[in-house]
Amino acid sequence: MTDDELIWRIAGGSGDGIDSTSQNFAKALMRTGLDVFTHRHYPSRIRGGHTFVEVRAAGHPVKSRGDGYNFLLALGDSFARNPQDEAYYGNEEAKPLTENLDDLREGGVIVYDTGLLDEGDVDDLEERAAEEGWHVYPLDLRGLAREHGSEVMRNTAGVGATAALLGMDTGVFEELMDERMSGDVLATNVEILEMAHEEVSGMEHTHALQLPEGTHEDAADSPVLLSGSNAVAYGALDAGCRFIAGYPMTPWTDVFTIMSQNLPEMGGISEQVEDEIAAASLAIGASHAGVKAMSGSSGGGFALMSEPLGMAEMTETPIVLVEAMRAGPSTGMPTKPEQADLEHVLYTSQGDSNRVVFAPGTVREAYEQTRAAFEMAYEYHLPAIVVIDQKLSGEVAVIPDEFFDREPDPGLGAVLTEAELDEAAHHASGVFDRYRHDPESGVSPRSIPGQAGGRFLASGNEHTPQGHIAEDPDNRVAQMDRRARKLASVRAELDGRETSHQTPYGPEDAEYGILTWGSQQGTAEEAVDRLNDDGHSVKALGVSDLMPYPSAEVAAFLESVEECLVVEMNATAQFRGLTGKELGQYGEHLSSLLKYNGDPFEPAEVVEGFESIVGDADADGDASGESTRIVPAVGD
Amino acid sequence: MTDDELIWRIAGGSGDGIDSTSQNFAKALMRTGLDVFTHRHYPSRIRGGHTFVEVRAAGHPVKSRGDGYNFLLALGDSFARNPQDEAYYGNEEAKPLTENLDDLREGGVIVYDTGLLDEGDVDDLEERAAEEGWHVYPLDLRGLAREHGSEVMRNTAGVGATAALLGMDTGVFEELMDERMSGDVLATNVEILEMAHEEVSGMEHTHALQLPEGTHEDAADSPVLLSGSNAVAYGALDAGCRFIAGYPMTPWTDVFTIMSQNLPEMGGISEQVEDEIAAASLAIGASHAGVKAMSGSSGGGFALMSEPLGMAEMTETPIVLVEAMRAGPSTGMPTKPEQADLEHVLYTSQGDSNRVVFAPGTVREAYEQTRAAFEMAYEYHLPAIVVIDQKLSGEVAVIPDEFFDREPDPGLGAVLTEAELDEAAHHASGVFDRYRHDPESGVSPRSIPGQAGGRFLASGNEHTPQGHIAEDPDNRVAQMDRRARKLASVRAELDGRETSHQTPYGPEDAEYGILTWGSQQGTAEEAVDRLNDDGHSVKALGVSDLMPYPSAEVAAFLESVEECLVVEMNATAQFRGLTGKELGQYGEHLSSLLKYNGDPFEPAEVVEGFESIVGDADADGDASGESTRIVPAVGD
Amino acid sequence: MSQSTNVFGAIGDAQEREEGIDREEFTPGIEPQATWCPGCGDFGVLKALKGAMPEVGRTPEEVLLVTGIGCSGKLSSYFDSYGFHSIHGRALPVARAAKLANPGLEVIAAGGDGDGYGIGGNHFTHTARENHDMTYIVFNNEIFGLTKGQTSPTSPKGHESKTQPHGSAKDPVRPLSMALSAGASYVARTAAVNPQQATEILAEAIEHDGFAHVDFLTQCPTWNKDAKQYVPYTDVQQSEEYDFDVHDRREAARMMHETEDALYEGTVLTGRYFVEEGRRSYGAEKAATGEAPETPLAERYFDPDYEWERSYDLLDRHR
Amino acid sequence: MSQSTNVFGAIGDAQEREEGIDREEFTPGIEPQATWCPGCGDFGVLKALKGAMPEVGRTPEEVLLVTGIGCSGKLSSYFDSYGFHSIHGRALPVARAAKLANPGLEVIAAGGDGDGYGIGGNHFTHTARENHDMTYIVFNNEIFGLTKGQTSPTSPKGHESKTQPHGSAKDPVRPLSMALSAGASYVARTAAVNPQQATEILAEAIEHDGFAHVDFLTQCPTWNKDAKQYVPYTDVQQSEEYDFDVHDRREAARMMHETEDALYEGTVLTGRYFVEEGRRSYGAEKAATGEAPETPLAERYFDPDYEWERSYDLLDRHR
Ligand SMILES: Cc1ncc(C[n+]2csc(CCOP(=O)(O)OP(=O)(O)O)c2C)c(N)n1
Ligand SMILES: Cc1ncc(C[n+]2csc(CCOP(=O)(O)OP(=O)(O)O)c2C)c(N)n1
Ligand code: SF4
Ligand code: SF4
Ligand SMILES: [Mg+2]
Ligand SMILES: [Mg+2]
């Protein structure tokens, strides 16, 4: 809530280049040495409709959207619908202004394009600005762009104006333009940028907000700017994944697209197929034949993978699936984030689940845990699922490039070579004992079709050590127990590692806890900072391992606090439920803070939620933010 | 474990008519006034392969398979494979004898067909018989059948022999034959039956076992014999269901077949379609157009319904789905029972679940709860799922016919007539407010296509009261909350009813509890009887409502006992987990007894499991039966 | 007065109207302007469909329009009738059951080329073979529109997209040929740039008693071709160059093959390709075998006099 | 010596063999006798497939046989090679990816008529249009065998079963016609009662460079027809009565249509129906566009010298 940070919101219509302009703006800020974090909001529509991106930047770490924002660049929506009397969508043309005012902080800056937006369409803009101390700069960005180039360049003009108002010069923007444009386009854009900058620099400035100072360590030296989807894709590539099969679906499409664009150059294969059942089945087929393979989807597409997922479990074929969650049920709100697929991902497909599920909390974790997912899948012969959401998928963060300077993983995990196969156990008939009962770790030896001496049958039916269909009860129990042992081994391996996927934050001896999973981690951490600053004693644990569940770590955390607030973006408190299921106790100590309106939490909502539940004099059991809901602990 | 009961096992090969012979035998025993219960065991194979059916009968209630059995009729397997050296399936020809000996009780009776079975193929039959006090009657049933009719009639000969050995006369069997055969076939069968009876009656009988005496109240007057699948289908028909769409899959096929055979005569429609995605979608389409509709499947077929299930939730289209579980994961063991799809059924499909799930515990409950499922679906506009398993699906029980003497449900649930529509709220545009936010119960008014004044859009996207796609956060919250209120209303309605779906059993003030769900109910009840007879103080609760969860009832039960054993047929203790999730406490009091080898529990296994965990001096934390597994309580 | 008019008052309503039907009855009071991009061919489908309604004599509330997911799937948002905006690829199974449940409804299904020929391809061929009495409009824009321009099953070989940066290696599906060999009894192709023909073809398709498949070329200027690329178009019925009998399966097959190839060579052929008359629709066929009731099933629940069958009467077999 | 022989020693093994391949190499040591019913046509497929292997010169461990679920799906239990017994309807997507991953494998997919034309129908048509280099054998017994005799997509109209007590109201699918319009480059029908032809056709199909579809008539005496009902059969290539060019799409289409109709009138026609030569298989096509590697992807993981690409080298675009 400090103003040593900039939260710049660029608003307009879908299809108006808001996203790419914001990406470049974020990059520019990164190059000035700031930490950067973005938050996207867009409709399920191709052209037109209210969309914005927030770029938050500061000299200290930023790891969440902020509470509101402090700089609005309102561009027009060139594809706004013409309202008619009964239009329930109201005046779309004015939305780049009207829809954004509620979240603008006191004293904030507004730049709007008078070429497309009419102050008259906004109720009481002047009064509200006076009340809230907003500084309003109406500028004819469209006019300027049209005059000196073309109308679409008004985004450039807006950036120029922004720079002028924040006391930045245009150098870093021109550098960026220079890298991605050339010729006339470049020249015109640079001209427009400079003209806007000059014009606005010459105006009287009433506001105080300037570009934040200081340098953040991650941005100090060779920083790179990456989205969660990008990190998943790069994690997969470095894990040695060279095959992807998919079918587009928001927000999964991002990962699929990045993989598809990189694989051909790396001698890999990307297949866009007829549906998600096929996509998952292809990944299984490719993996079976000896390739590190992945697939993935979102919501309904992942639902279609339910049956192949079980086939991978039963045949013990390693695959990695990405589930990029969006608001459900059903088609729901395709471009809005939610964390309501947790139970679906854990349990879909008949029979007892036998899979690994990771939900990275940050862009870095998205890279790390995708690599870990491949490792687990190929070492333990099971499907590993990386769960992200529309929030993590699209948000970008600054990471020093050394982070990526590591060895790729060239192996296929636990497989035998032909020489090893020669030595391995075979049935008297010559068939390889692919599924022998005895391995302690649960991982039985694996061969690849085409290897001499390795033939076996992979079957989704229960099977003998050679893979043949069998209904014998003893064999059944031996195979079920062995497959279950693999999960225990995964847990033991992860628990034994130096760095856990679970991220603790805040004072170790804190009195209260905040428990969260996946993409809410950064927001919870910001809330922890504020709460401790306000005199509370709170720490957080961001959980990524969902199956096998990190019982020891979570139990230790819960044991160490009085009470705990579980923060998640869904309506039925799924992660609290999972924790209750896995630990079987603590019910009296776990309250839930839920949000499911399609917007991710702001840190302030977590702060308020916490205060309304625990440790605050003002607490009122029922209180919760307007758009959040509290479910008190059992017996509370 | 008493011998005031008969457990007759008829064993042979698939395709040899074992099933229909056993059904008739069960009916005959019912007609003598006994209570009857069956247990089927068969392979996923059309012809040949070890199969048996147990018919348990007594003058007192029988509601589970027993512990072992006491009368074996071993017929040949006419499609047994000829073993060769490396055959891992062993000597299939001998299996009707070899596979069945382990479970035969001391003092039991063996009749085997010397025409197809060779004592020499069985190791030490004579010695084992001597040791166990078995009474062995080798008979050339095939020879007799072949001589007087045809070979396939050897089953009839076996029944005649059985009757003779049990001191029954042939009247009741002849009556049954008379009802379903005629002409030569009837005459020959009757002849064979009588000859076998006469021959065996004339032999020396060394055994004591006779047909149990007494009359069970359900069998006293106009009893009928029905399987769980039959009860589901009849419940659906009486609920007014007149449309089914399906795709065959074991064991779901039973329900689908019974419906398909009855619907045409009732002016209804059955559609066998291209796959399960289509099946569920057709049920939704038919229901949307104003018909009570159902679909269903097992395992992988149900997995394919995941996405349409979410569509039903979001569009609030009432449908009933049946999930007939079998052993998973994946194709698993298609003809074996398991209860491992619980979490899959509760949570599959993206987004927060909004469905009703019932798991009837008995054949009667299968009827009742299927009717209830239709009621809930159509009154509350949501999908309701009836979960059965291969065990309940195929087992038969005796029910007095008055049980079915009730009114069918002729309505379509909560729908408006055109007159009511005229009065109902509409948007200014004339579109009907199908999804208005305000109903207290969550149930908004519903119209049917073709009704004047009712037009609206059903959408799987989040939507306005008129059904139009909307991403507005306030509307989102209002719709999510309203849909959640429907589930709360269902819970309130069920809690308010006179008879709960949860079935308590045993002394109310017992010290210990056994908690189970679905088809294990009868077995748990038998175990409770024995444990109390043995001096323990135990009661059971059989839970059927899985969503919305009957928290008050289960919590009250758990509060009232010291410790509780949760008995279920899966490997990951899914129902214990659900209870932990829903109640958030009690983790320290809930131990699990699990079985997942493809065979349902015997009562003795529950008794042993209980004794090894709680209240027994001999208890040893680790002990469990050979084919069961114990998971101790948290912190134990 | 048939019973249906008691319960489903909208059905048959049109026949009693004197003034006829106005296409504007199908323009919603809400959502007056669609969210499709400027120049999108989807507007053409909407317009043609509205235009066909007066011709077929159906009022909004006796029509059930079932759509899939895609830009195309939004058709049901902008066409004011009973609507069902289902999930990706599943419009047909929802629609055909609604028709079986209440044959009085005019059932129309619609979706995109990805929706109908990609993920929903199996329902397409099976619904065609069963010959359900309904109309299926496929918005063929040779692209995935709503998910931002990926290759679709009708994209030409070599088509470059974000997911096929070097160009698709797949031959496109042949929607007309597939419909024909699957068993559709009416198959046509029209185009958004051809509003007159489109309206006529839709009216014919709706009136056809059986499964009518209309492959509707809809330009997607945002990710793929714009309207210009579908002009000039040729109506195979009008043109001298093409001569075939739409009632002859073999001639139809040949003409379809040629039409499918031509599209990728820049020649846009449209028109009726196959019309099979006299074949019973699935509903009629099913009723004839004795597996479907004579009166609409949906009416039963509103009929206070209906004597409901009871399982009690089935118990004899269990005694 | 190619690199592949280092890693996948079984591949190419046959070529180095002097003694040739014995069909009995494909008879498993375990499961010597299948669980199919006596008289089942599935035995015929097994026999023909074993018989084809010596002709195509492949040894057990260079073959990957992917099957679906059904009686037919058990083929992989009784044919000794690498096997994948997948789930119902999904053999093709598993199989085609395995081929892309390791083109050195001989990939064969197999399943039932329900598996392939019912639930798996969409994969069938899409795999055909993509022309993957593999063989797809559909055991067409006009029935669901394993689930005990329900109507299948190839059951004749009027077929009575437990789920259609009054007889099916659906026209059966036309598997050959569908394969052709979907884009298969080799289409044949053979029958279990015709072992010589079956073996030859399977060998041809396996050797065909592209998607080869073999509709294999397999009697199911338990639930449907027995072998007698498939006799006499006619080989359309042998018979004087039929004259068409398997390389001509139109003639093939006509002959297929006739063959499909004839089956339900009791005339069993078999043979090759369509052979398209020279069309690139999908793998080749994809490699040509630059979207697939030249050497088998699967070898890479066993190659200690391969220089793995790193995301670190992609970072420039993110700076
Ligand atoms: C099961 C599933 N998979 C993927 C998606 C994402 N998705 C939405 S529309 C669409 C394809 C759109 O293409 P098309 O069907 O041709 O329709 P158009 O937008 O071009 O009209 C996809 C892949 C989805 N909604 N559901
Ligand atoms: C998703 C799914 N649905 C249904 C089944 C049940 N099932 C197993 S085999 C089969 C059909 C068998 O018919 P077909 O494919 O013709 O094979 P056949 O047994 O005749 O060889 C079905 C419906 C299944 N295993 N999975
Ligand atoms: S993306 Fe294409 S298909 Fe979708 S609305 Fe825009 S122009 Fe039309
Ligand atoms: S049921 Fe039919 S298809 Fe299956 S094994 Fe028996 S004869 Fe063959
Ligand atoms: Mg499209
Ligand atoms: Mg079949």
Side-chain angles (χ1 to χ4, degrees), chain B residues 118-160:
Chain B
D118 186 353
E119 187 173 330
D121 286 341
V122 187
D123 286 345
D124 321 315
L125 180 55
E126 230 168 290
E127 283 118 85
R128 287 186 70 183
E131 242 168 64
E132 306 271 353
W134 293 335
H135 306 271
V136 185
Y137 301 90
L139 302 169
D140 184 9
L141 301 170
R142 179 169 78 152
L144 191 139
R146 192 192 266 163
E147 195 176 325
H148 298 276
S150 78
E151 197 167 311
V152 293
M153 294 176 186
R154 62 185 196 269
N155 295 17
T156 302
V159 168

Side-chain angles (χ1 to χ4, degrees), chain D residues 126-175:
Chain D
H126 282 272
T127 309
R129 95 169 157 105
E130 295 175 11
N131 199 32
H132 290 265
D133 180 19
M134 51 185 285
T135 302
Y136 184 40
I137 307 170
V138 182
F139 292 55
N140 184 356
N141 56 8
E142 306 173 48
I143 202 80
F144 283 7
L146 190 62
T147 45
K148 305 201 166 181
Q150 297 84 4
T151 307
S152 94
T154 52
S155 298
K157 194 171 200 161
H159 177 90
E160 287 173 22
S161 76
K162 284 180 249 172
T163 46
Q164 261 97 16
H166 298 257
S168 167
K170 305 183 182 184
D171 283 306
V173 294
R174 297 179 171 278

Side-chain angles (χ1 to χ4, degrees), chain B residues 46, chain D residues 35-37 40-42 71 141 145-146 219-223:
Chain B
I46 304 300
Chain D
T35 57
W36 293 315
C37 309
C40 177
D42 295 7
C71 295
N141 56 8
L146 190 62
Q219 70 279 2
C220 169
T222 299
W223 310 115

Side-chain angles (χ1 to χ4, degrees), chain B residues 27 30-31 222-226 230 234 237-238 240-243 262 264 266-271 273-275 277-278 281-282 284-286 288-292 307-308 311 315 317 367 401-402 404-408 410-412 415-416 418 427 429 431 447-461 466 468-469, chain C residues 5-11 25 28-31 60-65 67 69 74 76-78 80-88 90 92-102 105 119 122-124 126-127 130 132 282 286 290-293 295 297-302 306 308-312 314-319:
Chain B
K27 229 185 223 183
M30 172 181 81
R31 291 193 184 179
S222 309
V224 293
L225 195 69
L226 250 82
N230 232 310
Y234 288 180
L237 292 174
D238 287 352
C241 173
R242 289 297 179 275
F243 187 98
N262 287 299
M266 297 185 171
I269 294 178
S270 166
E271 271 291 292
V273 295
E274 59 271 31
D275 66 17
I277 308 176
S281 301
L282 265 94
I284 291 169
H288 184 74
V291 170
K292 273 187 173 158
E307 209 199 351
M311 167 162 72
T315 57
T317 310
Y367 175 89
D401 74 351
E402 308 98 292
F404 296 96
D405 188 10
R406 32 180 137 182
E407 285 312 305
L412 204 57
V415 287
L416 303 187
E418 290 197 337
H427 187 264
S429 62
V431 173
S447 63
I448 303 293
Q451 284 183 321
R455 71 184 188 278
F456 72 97
L457 178 64
S459 178
N461 286 58
Q466 299 78 42
H468 278 276
I469 304 176
Chain C
T5 46
N6 282 327
V7 183
F8 296 110
I11 296 176
E25 292 180 45
I30 43 175
E31 287 273 17
E61 291 186 336
E62 52 187 328
V63 175
L64 176 62
L65 174 61
T67 56
I69 298 292
K74 292 187 179 168
S76 52
S77 293
Y78 313 133
D80 198 12
S81 69
Y82 277 97
F84 200 115
H85 182 223
S86 69
I87 48 178
H88 194 41
R90 316 302 167 191
L92 286 173
V94 170
R96 71 193 209 221
K99 183 73 182 183
L100 289 172
N102 192 352
L105 294 172
I119 193 167
N122 207 30
H123 308 307
F124 172 49
H126 282 272
T127 309
E130 295 175 11
H132 289 266
Y282 184 64
K286 195 156 169 115
E291 296 214 340
T295 51
L297 200 46
E299 289 176 8
R300 190 170 308 169
Y301 298 89
F302 293 91
Y306 188 80
W308 286 84
E309 306 81 3
R310 305 199 302 155
S311 72
Y312 189 70
L314 304 172
L315 291 181
D316 273 351
R317 59 186 82 148
H318 301 286
R319 290 184 200 278

